[in-house]
Amino acid sequence: MGRVQVLPPVLTHGDAQARSALVLGGVLIGVAAWLVLARHHRWAGASALGASAALVFGSVRATASHDRVLQFLDSVTDRAFDGAILPAIAVAMRHTDMAVSALAVFAAGLSFVAAYVRTKGKALGYEVRDSLALRAARYVAIGIGLLVHSLFGALIVAIAISAFTAIDNSRQVTSQPA
């Protein structure tokens, strides 16, 4: 009789500290999204900032390990941050602040475009660098915006960072020979 595998292989692969930090970051992302929907913005901000710290630590460790599965988990948790928290903001604010709701949708879409350009460029064999500093700034902007209940400015910052990232990723691809 074979052994039952409780955890998926991605959660048992590579640097244990990086893996643990990324998983913790993912859990805190879920908590932050739930707290946004429950309208506990300050607690959501604290959770998002905790997720930010865990994701940045995990990303640094994952990049240093050269473990592709761990780097994949890093990429997934990066997308989870924007894919869970920003739509939660859009839904929670849709009746009370349409501008913030619309900006959250726009920020989510733009961050996914930036990630798509980077990923597609890499898949086509181009060298596209990812800036951990810009990712961290995006996370922290959203976390602080939630914490101090000033989402309009935080979302403008996140949009500016995502726009810069998308343009920079496109520039990196188009500056290389085809």
Side-chain angles (χ1 to χ4, degrees), residues 14-34:
D15 179 346
Q17 286 184 330
R19 185 178 62 242
S20 297
L22 293 171
V23 169
L24 174 62
V27 169
L28 290 173
I29 289 166
V31 170
W34 177 78

mmCIF file with all atom_site columns, all heavy atoms in Angstrom, residues 14-34:
data_model
loop_
_atom_site.group_PDB
_atom_site.id
_atom_site.type_symbol
_atom_site.label_atom_id
_atom_site.label_alt_id
_atom_site.label_comp_id
_atom_site.label_asym_id
_atom_site.label_entity_id
_atom_site.label_seq_id
_atom_site.pdbx_PDB_ins_code
_atom_site.Cartn_x
_atom_site.Cartn_y
_atom_site.Cartn_z
_atom_site.occupancy
_atom_site.B_iso_or_equiv
_atom_site.pdbx_formal_charge
_atom_site.auth_seq_id
_atom_site.auth_comp_id
_atom_site.auth_asym_id
_atom_site.auth_atom_id
_atom_site.pdbx_PDB_model_num
ATOM 1   N N   . GLY A 1 14 ? 11.923  22.568 -1.991 1.00 0.00 ? 14 GLY A N   1
ATOM 2   C CA  . GLY A 1 14 ? 12.871  23.666 -1.850 1.00 0.00 ? 14 GLY A CA  1
ATOM 3   C C   . GLY A 1 14 ? 13.097  24.154 -0.432 1.00 0.00 ? 14 GLY A C   1
ATOM 4   O O   . GLY A 1 14 ? 12.865  23.456 0.546  1.00 0.00 ? 14 GLY A O   1
ATOM 5   N N   . ASP A 1 15 ? 13.569  25.376 -0.346 1.00 0.00 ? 15 ASP A N   1
ATOM 6   C CA  . ASP A 1 15 ? 13.935  26.051 0.897  1.00 0.00 ? 15 ASP A CA  1
ATOM 7   C C   . ASP A 1 15 ? 12.716  26.134 1.825  1.00 0.00 ? 15 ASP A C   1
ATOM 8   O O   . ASP A 1 15 ? 11.721  26.781 1.517  1.00 0.00 ? 15 ASP A O   1
ATOM 9   C CB  . ASP A 1 15 ? 14.448  27.447 0.544  1.00 0.00 ? 15 ASP A CB  1
ATOM 10  C CG  . ASP A 1 15 ? 14.846  28.286 1.734  1.00 0.00 ? 15 ASP A CG  1
ATOM 11  O OD1 . ASP A 1 15 ? 14.500  27.934 2.883  1.00 0.00 ? 15 ASP A OD1 1
ATOM 12  O OD2 . ASP A 1 15 ? 15.500  29.319 1.523  1.00 0.00 ? 15 ASP A OD2 1
ATOM 13  N N   . ALA A 1 16 ? 12.811  25.501 2.976  1.00 0.00 ? 16 ALA A N   1
ATOM 14  C CA  . ALA A 1 16 ? 11.677  25.433 3.905  1.00 0.00 ? 16 ALA A CA  1
ATOM 15  C C   . ALA A 1 16 ? 11.283  26.810 4.429  1.00 0.00 ? 16 ALA A C   1
ATOM 16  O O   . ALA A 1 16 ? 10.085  27.082 4.604  1.00 0.00 ? 16 ALA A O   1
ATOM 17  C CB  . ALA A 1 16 ? 12.003  24.497 5.067  1.00 0.00 ? 16 ALA A CB  1
ATOM 18  N N   . GLN A 1 17 ? 12.252  27.686 4.667  1.00 0.00 ? 17 GLN A N   1
ATOM 19  C CA  . GLN A 1 17 ? 11.916  29.023 5.164  1.00 0.00 ? 17 GLN A CA  1
ATOM 20  C C   . GLN A 1 17 ? 11.174  29.828 4.103  1.00 0.00 ? 17 GLN A C   1
ATOM 21  O O   . GLN A 1 17 ? 10.196  30.508 4.403  1.00 0.00 ? 17 GLN A O   1
ATOM 22  C CB  . GLN A 1 17 ? 13.166  29.766 5.612  1.00 0.00 ? 17 GLN A CB  1
ATOM 23  C CG  . GLN A 1 17 ? 13.722  29.253 6.916  1.00 0.00 ? 17 GLN A CG  1
ATOM 24  C CD  . GLN A 1 17 ? 14.916  30.073 7.373  1.00 0.00 ? 17 GLN A CD  1
ATOM 25  O OE1 . GLN A 1 17 ? 15.665  30.615 6.558  1.00 0.00 ? 17 GLN A OE1 1
ATOM 26  N NE2 . GLN A 1 17 ? 15.084  30.156 8.679  1.00 0.00 ? 17 GLN A NE2 1
ATOM 27  N N   . ALA A 1 18 ? 11.633  29.745 2.865  1.00 0.00 ? 18 ALA A N   1
ATOM 28  C CA  . ALA A 1 18 ? 10.955  30.454 1.774  1.00 0.00 ? 18 ALA A CA  1
ATOM 29  C C   . ALA A 1 18 ? 9.556   29.908 1.583  1.00 0.00 ? 18 ALA A C   1
ATOM 30  O O   . ALA A 1 18 ? 8.591   30.662 1.463  1.00 0.00 ? 18 ALA A O   1
ATOM 31  C CB  . ALA A 1 18 ? 11.767  30.320 0.483  1.00 0.00 ? 18 ALA A CB  1
ATOM 32  N N   . ARG A 1 19 ? 9.453   28.609 1.556  1.00 0.00 ? 19 ARG A N   1
ATOM 33  C CA  . ARG A 1 19 ? 8.149   27.956 1.372  1.00 0.00 ? 19 ARG A CA  1
ATOM 34  C C   . ARG A 1 19 ? 7.191   28.355 2.489  1.00 0.00 ? 19 ARG A C   1
ATOM 35  O O   . ARG A 1 19 ? 6.047   28.731 2.238  1.00 0.00 ? 19 ARG A O   1
ATOM 36  C CB  . ARG A 1 19 ? 8.351   26.447 1.323  1.00 0.00 ? 19 ARG A CB  1
ATOM 37  C CG  . ARG A 1 19 ? 7.119   25.656 1.012  1.00 0.00 ? 19 ARG A CG  1
ATOM 38  C CD  . ARG A 1 19 ? 7.413   24.163 0.938  1.00 0.00 ? 19 ARG A CD  1
ATOM 39  N NE  . ARG A 1 19 ? 7.894   23.649 2.220  1.00 0.00 ? 19 ARG A NE  1
ATOM 40  C CZ  . ARG A 1 19 ? 9.077   23.103 2.418  1.00 0.00 ? 19 ARG A CZ  1
ATOM 41  N NH1 . ARG A 1 19 ? 9.926   22.987 1.422  1.00 0.00 ? 19 ARG A NH1 1
ATOM 42  N NH2 . ARG A 1 19 ? 9.426   22.653 3.602  1.00 0.00 ? 19 ARG A NH2 1
ATOM 43  N N   . SER A 1 20 ? 7.657   28.311 3.723  1.00 0.00 ? 20 SER A N   1
ATOM 44  C CA  . SER A 1 20 ? 6.811   28.667 4.867  1.00 0.00 ? 20 SER A CA  1
ATOM 45  C C   . SER A 1 20 ? 6.370   30.128 4.795  1.00 0.00 ? 20 SER A C   1
ATOM 46  O O   . SER A 1 20 ? 5.217   30.451 5.071  1.00 0.00 ? 20 SER A O   1
ATOM 47  C CB  . SER A 1 20 ? 7.552   28.420 6.174  1.00 0.00 ? 20 SER A CB  1
ATOM 48  O OG  . SER A 1 20 ? 7.853   27.056 6.307  1.00 0.00 ? 20 SER A OG  1
ATOM 49  N N   . ALA A 1 21 ? 7.296   31.012 4.434  1.00 0.00 ? 21 ALA A N   1
ATOM 50  C CA  . ALA A 1 21 ? 6.963   32.434 4.335  1.00 0.00 ? 21 ALA A CA  1
ATOM 51  C C   . ALA A 1 21 ? 5.931   32.674 3.243  1.00 0.00 ? 21 ALA A C   1
ATOM 52  O O   . ALA A 1 21 ? 4.978   33.441 3.437  1.00 0.00 ? 21 ALA A O   1
ATOM 53  C CB  . ALA A 1 21 ? 8.224   33.250 4.066  1.00 0.00 ? 21 ALA A CB  1
ATOM 54  N N   . LEU A 1 22 ? 6.099   32.019 2.101  1.00 0.00 ? 22 LEU A N   1
ATOM 55  C CA  . LEU A 1 22 ? 5.150   32.209 1.003  1.00 0.00 ? 22 LEU A CA  1
ATOM 56  C C   . LEU A 1 22 ? 3.776   31.645 1.347  1.00 0.00 ? 22 LEU A C   1
ATOM 57  O O   . LEU A 1 22 ? 2.752   32.258 1.034  1.00 0.00 ? 22 LEU A O   1
ATOM 58  C CB  . LEU A 1 22 ? 5.697   31.589 -0.285 1.00 0.00 ? 22 LEU A CB  1
ATOM 59  C CG  . LEU A 1 22 ? 6.943   32.281 -0.853 1.00 0.00 ? 22 LEU A CG  1
ATOM 60  C CD1 . LEU A 1 22 ? 7.540   31.471 -1.996 1.00 0.00 ? 22 LEU A CD1 1
ATOM 61  C CD2 . LEU A 1 22 ? 6.627   33.704 -1.293 1.00 0.00 ? 22 LEU A CD2 1
ATOM 62  N N   . VAL A 1 23 ? 3.744   30.506 2.015  1.00 0.00 ? 23 VAL A N   1
ATOM 63  C CA  . VAL A 1 23 ? 2.458   29.930 2.432  1.00 0.00 ? 23 VAL A CA  1
ATOM 64  C C   . VAL A 1 23 ? 1.804   30.835 3.478  1.00 0.00 ? 23 VAL A C   1
ATOM 65  O O   . VAL A 1 23 ? 0.596   31.104 3.405  1.00 0.00 ? 23 VAL A O   1
ATOM 66  C CB  . VAL A 1 23 ? 2.636   28.485 2.943  1.00 0.00 ? 23 VAL A CB  1
ATOM 67  C CG1 . VAL A 1 23 ? 1.364   27.976 3.615  1.00 0.00 ? 23 VAL A CG1 1
ATOM 68  C CG2 . VAL A 1 23 ? 3.022   27.567 1.784  1.00 0.00 ? 23 VAL A CG2 1
ATOM 69  N N   . LEU A 1 24 ? 2.583   31.312 4.450  1.00 0.00 ? 24 LEU A N   1
ATOM 70  C CA  . LEU A 1 24 ? 2.045   32.243 5.446  1.00 0.00 ? 24 LEU A CA  1
ATOM 71  C C   . LEU A 1 24 ? 1.509   33.501 4.763  1.00 0.00 ? 24 LEU A C   1
ATOM 72  O O   . LEU A 1 24 ? 0.419   33.983 5.094  1.00 0.00 ? 24 LEU A O   1
ATOM 73  C CB  . LEU A 1 24 ? 3.123   32.621 6.467  1.00 0.00 ? 24 LEU A CB  1
ATOM 74  C CG  . LEU A 1 24 ? 2.725   33.710 7.472  1.00 0.00 ? 24 LEU A CG  1
ATOM 75  C CD1 . LEU A 1 24 ? 1.553   33.262 8.337  1.00 0.00 ? 24 LEU A CD1 1
ATOM 76  C CD2 . LEU A 1 24 ? 3.925   34.104 8.321  1.00 0.00 ? 24 LEU A CD2 1
ATOM 77  N N   . GLY A 1 25 ? 2.261   34.016 3.810  1.00 0.00 ? 25 GLY A N   1
ATOM 78  C CA  . GLY A 1 25 ? 1.805   35.180 3.048  1.00 0.00 ? 25 GLY A CA  1
ATOM 79  C C   . GLY A 1 25 ? 0.487   34.906 2.354  1.00 0.00 ? 25 GLY A C   1
ATOM 80  O O   . GLY A 1 25 ? -0.421  35.742 2.368  1.00 0.00 ? 25 GLY A O   1
ATOM 81  N N   . GLY A 1 26 ? 0.354   33.717 1.765  1.00 0.00 ? 26 GLY A N   1
ATOM 82  C CA  . GLY A 1 26 ? -0.898  33.345 1.107  1.00 0.00 ? 26 GLY A CA  1
ATOM 83  C C   . GLY A 1 26 ? -2.066  33.288 2.075  1.00 0.00 ? 26 GLY A C   1
ATOM 84  O O   . GLY A 1 26 ? -3.172  33.752 1.762  1.00 0.00 ? 26 GLY A O   1
ATOM 85  N N   . VAL A 1 27 ? -1.830  32.740 3.247  1.00 0.00 ? 27 VAL A N   1
ATOM 86  C CA  . VAL A 1 27 ? -2.888  32.681 4.268  1.00 0.00 ? 27 VAL A CA  1
ATOM 87  C C   . VAL A 1 27 ? -3.282  34.094 4.690  1.00 0.00 ? 27 VAL A C   1
ATOM 88  O O   . VAL A 1 27 ? -4.477  34.419 4.790  1.00 0.00 ? 27 VAL A O   1
ATOM 89  C CB  . VAL A 1 27 ? -2.425  31.842 5.481  1.00 0.00 ? 27 VAL A CB  1
ATOM 90  C CG1 . VAL A 1 27 ? -3.386  31.991 6.651  1.00 0.00 ? 27 VAL A CG1 1
ATOM 91  C CG2 . VAL A 1 27 ? -2.280  30.379 5.082  1.00 0.00 ? 27 VAL A CG2 1
ATOM 92  N N   . LEU A 1 28 ? -2.293  34.958 4.920  1.00 0.00 ? 28 LEU A N   1
ATOM 93  C CA  . LEU A 1 28 ? -2.586  36.331 5.327  1.00 0.00 ? 28 LEU A CA  1
ATOM 94  C C   . LEU A 1 28 ? -3.296  37.116 4.228  1.00 0.00 ? 28 LEU A C   1
ATOM 95  O O   . LEU A 1 28 ? -4.104  38.005 4.522  1.00 0.00 ? 28 LEU A O   1
ATOM 96  C CB  . LEU A 1 28 ? -1.305  37.042 5.765  1.00 0.00 ? 28 LEU A CB  1
ATOM 97  C CG  . LEU A 1 28 ? -0.713  36.548 7.083  1.00 0.00 ? 28 LEU A CG  1
ATOM 98  C CD1 . LEU A 1 28 ? 0.644   37.190 7.346  1.00 0.00 ? 28 LEU A CD1 1
ATOM 99  C CD2 . LEU A 1 28 ? -1.665  36.813 8.236  1.00 0.00 ? 28 LEU A CD2 1
ATOM 100 N N   . ILE A 1 29 ? -3.026  36.795 2.978  1.00 0.00 ? 29 ILE A N   1
ATOM 101 C CA  . ILE A 1 29 ? -3.752  37.411 1.864  1.00 0.00 ? 29 ILE A CA  1
ATOM 102 C C   . ILE A 1 29 ? -5.236  37.060 1.970  1.00 0.00 ? 29 ILE A C   1
ATOM 103 O O   . ILE A 1 29 ? -6.109  37.924 1.842  1.00 0.00 ? 29 ILE A O   1
ATOM 104 C CB  . ILE A 1 29 ? -3.183  36.947 0.505  1.00 0.00 ? 29 ILE A CB  1
ATOM 105 C CG1 . ILE A 1 29 ? -1.817  37.564 0.260  1.00 0.00 ? 29 ILE A CG1 1
ATOM 106 C CG2 . ILE A 1 29 ? -4.146  37.287 -0.637 1.00 0.00 ? 29 ILE A CG2 1
ATOM 107 C CD1 . ILE A 1 29 ? -1.047  36.915 -0.877 1.00 0.00 ? 29 ILE A CD1 1
ATOM 108 N N   . GLY A 1 30 ? -5.515  35.786 2.200  1.00 0.00 ? 30 GLY A N   1
ATOM 109 C CA  . GLY A 1 30 ? -6.907  35.358 2.350  1.00 0.00 ? 30 GLY A CA  1
ATOM 110 C C   . GLY A 1 30 ? -7.591  36.025 3.525  1.00 0.00 ? 30 GLY A C   1
ATOM 111 O O   . GLY A 1 30 ? -8.743  36.457 3.434  1.00 0.00 ? 30 GLY A O   1
ATOM 112 N N   . VAL A 1 31 ? -6.877  36.134 4.637  1.00 0.00 ? 31 VAL A N   1
ATOM 113 C CA  . VAL A 1 31 ? -7.423  36.804 5.825  1.00 0.00 ? 31 VAL A CA  1
ATOM 114 C C   . VAL A 1 31 ? -7.695  38.276 5.509  1.00 0.00 ? 31 VAL A C   1
ATOM 115 O O   . VAL A 1 31 ? -8.761  38.812 5.858  1.00 0.00 ? 31 VAL A O   1
ATOM 116 C CB  . VAL A 1 31 ? -6.473  36.651 7.033  1.00 0.00 ? 31 VAL A CB  1
ATOM 117 C CG1 . VAL A 1 31 ? -6.893  37.544 8.192  1.00 0.00 ? 31 VAL A CG1 1
ATOM 118 C CG2 . VAL A 1 31 ? -6.399  35.195 7.469  1.00 0.00 ? 31 VAL A CG2 1
ATOM 119 N N   . ALA A 1 32 ? -6.755  38.936 4.841  1.00 0.00 ? 32 ALA A N   1
ATOM 120 C CA  . ALA A 1 32 ? -6.930  40.350 4.495  1.00 0.00 ? 32 ALA A CA  1
ATOM 121 C C   . ALA A 1 32 ? -8.141  40.541 3.586  1.00 0.00 ? 32 ALA A C   1
ATOM 122 O O   . ALA A 1 32 ? -8.941  41.462 3.799  1.00 0.00 ? 32 ALA A O   1
ATOM 123 C CB  . ALA A 1 32 ? -5.666  40.898 3.828  1.00 0.00 ? 32 ALA A CB  1
ATOM 124 N N   . ALA A 1 33 ? -8.293  39.683 2.589  1.00 0.00 ? 33 ALA A N   1
ATOM 125 C CA  . ALA A 1 33 ? -9.444  39.798 1.677  1.00 0.00 ? 33 ALA A CA  1
ATOM 126 C C   . ALA A 1 33 ? -10.751 39.619 2.448  1.00 0.00 ? 33 ALA A C   1
ATOM 127 O O   . ALA A 1 33 ? -11.712 40.376 2.246  1.00 0.00 ? 33 ALA A O   1
ATOM 128 C CB  . ALA A 1 33 ? -9.329  38.778 0.549  1.00 0.00 ? 33 ALA A CB  1
ATOM 129 N N   . TRP A 1 34 ? -10.792 38.637 3.342  1.00 0.00 ? 34 TRP A N   1
ATOM 130 C CA  . TRP A 1 34 ? -11.997 38.418 4.135  1.00 0.00 ? 34 TRP A CA  1
ATOM 131 C C   . TRP A 1 34 ? -12.286 39.621 5.028  1.00 0.00 ? 34 TRP A C   1
ATOM 132 O O   . TRP A 1 34 ? -13.435 40.061 5.157  1.00 0.00 ? 34 TRP A O   1
ATOM 133 C CB  . TRP A 1 34 ? -11.849 37.145 4.978  1.00 0.00 ? 34 TRP A CB  1
ATOM 134 C CG  . TRP A 1 34 ? -13.029 36.918 5.863  1.00 0.00 ? 34 TRP A CG  1
ATOM 135 C CD1 . TRP A 1 34 ? -14.243 36.409 5.506  1.00 0.00 ? 34 TRP A CD1 1
ATOM 136 C CD2 . TRP A 1 34 ? -13.126 37.231 7.256  1.00 0.00 ? 34 TRP A CD2 1
ATOM 137 N NE1 . TRP A 1 34 ? -15.075 36.378 6.587  1.00 0.00 ? 34 TRP A NE1 1
ATOM 138 C CE2 . TRP A 1 34 ? -14.412 36.876 7.679  1.00 0.00 ? 34 TRP A CE2 1
ATOM 139 C CE3 . TRP A 1 34 ? -12.229 37.765 8.176  1.00 0.00 ? 34 TRP A CE3 1
ATOM 140 C CZ2 . TRP A 1 34 ? -14.837 37.048 8.988  1.00 0.00 ? 34 TRP A CZ2 1
ATOM 141 C CZ3 . TRP A 1 34 ? -12.653 37.938 9.486  1.00 0.00 ? 34 TRP A CZ3 1
ATOM 142 C CH2 . TRP A 1 34 ? -13.941 37.576 9.871  1.00 0.00 ? 34 TRP A CH2 1
#
